[in-house]
Amino acid sequence: MFFYTTIAFLLLCFIQDVKYRGIFWIVFPLLLASCVLLRWETLMWKDLIFNFLFLTATMLGLTFYLSIKLKKRILITNGHFSLGDILFLIAIIPLFSLDEYILFFTAGTIFTLLIHILINQVKKQQTIPYAGYMSIATILVLVFQGSIRNNFAQSWM
């Protein structure tokens, strides 16, 4: 049941972010709750903490990098990365162990950029609906999680 609920919230994120370039705030706690309930039996608190620390370090690193590059102190959510994108990345934390989250974050970001490049050829967009495209990446991971985990485990052996 929670699998389909999570998929529905992810689709809602995609539709809202692509159409309105924003996601209604209530979707994030509902998505987080759905992700927690989906993984409740295998949920590891240390994974939640480490995933959150990874995301925090990544956002701080990006803020630091952009501040140096632009030669002024910046706030990452002012024109670079939206608060909705960050809230989305927090909401999906329960779905992954730390190594899976790092891999998903990296591969999902590349996927998002590739999708944006392809769509931008047809329809010019000023901003990237990051959370929306990452929602599609998350759906793909959830649907194909068995084969992904098997291939991921085999590649590390």
Side-chain angles (χ1 to χ4, degrees):
M1 177 175 130
F2 294 115
F3 176 81
Y4 295 111
T5 306
T6 304
I7 297 292
F9 284 128
L10 290 167
L11 283 172
L12 185 60
C13 287
F14 171 73
I15 292 166
Q16 287 184 355
D17 202 22
V18 169
K19 188 171 183 179
Y20 304 112
R21 284 301 190 270
I23 300 170
F24 192 57
W25 71 269
I26 193 68
V27 175
F28 298 115
L30 293 172
L31 177 60
L32 175 63
S34 181
C35 291
V36 167
L37 292 170
L38 179 63
R39 296 288 189 236
W40 185 254
E41 293 178 7
T42 60
L43 196 63
M44 303 288 288
W45 289 104
K46 71 175 180 75
D47 285 335
L48 296 177
I49 293 166
F50 284 127
N51 289 351
F52 184 78
L53 290 174
F54 166 76
L55 181 60
T56 301
T58 302
M59 292 299 121
L60 288 173
L62 187 56
T63 300
F64 183 67
Y65 168 76
L66 289 171
S67 293
I68 290 172
K69 181 180 177 189
L70 300 174
K71 298 179 181 163
K72 64 180 181 178
R73 190 196 278 162
I74 62 122
L75 182 60
I76 194 73
T77 56
N78 284 347
H80 301 284
F81 216 81
S82 80
L83 181 59
D85 297 334
I86 296 168
L87 291 174
F88 175 81
L89 291 169
I90 291 170
I92 63 168
I93 279 175
L95 297 176
F96 305 100
S97 65
L98 177 60
D99 54 350
E100 291 170 340
Y101 190 69
I102 292 170
L103 180 63
F104 173 78
F105 180 84
T106 306
T109 299
I110 293 168
F111 171 81
T112 295
L113 292 173
L114 291 173
I115 294 296
H116 180 70
I117 289 168
L118 290 173
I119 290 176
N120 212 28
Q121 299 298 315
V122 177
K123 179 183 173 186
K124 299 294 181 195
Q125 298 176 333
Q126 291 290 350
T127 60
I128 300 173
Y130 183 82
Y133 294 159
M134 286 292 275
S135 296
I136 296 301
T138 308
I139 290 169
L140 291 172
V141 167
L142 289 175
V143 169
F144 298 108
Q145 67 187 350
S147 61
I148 291 171
R149 284 199 170 125
N150 287 340
N151 290 331
F152 185 68
Q154 289 174 359
S155 68
W156 284 96
M157 294 181 142

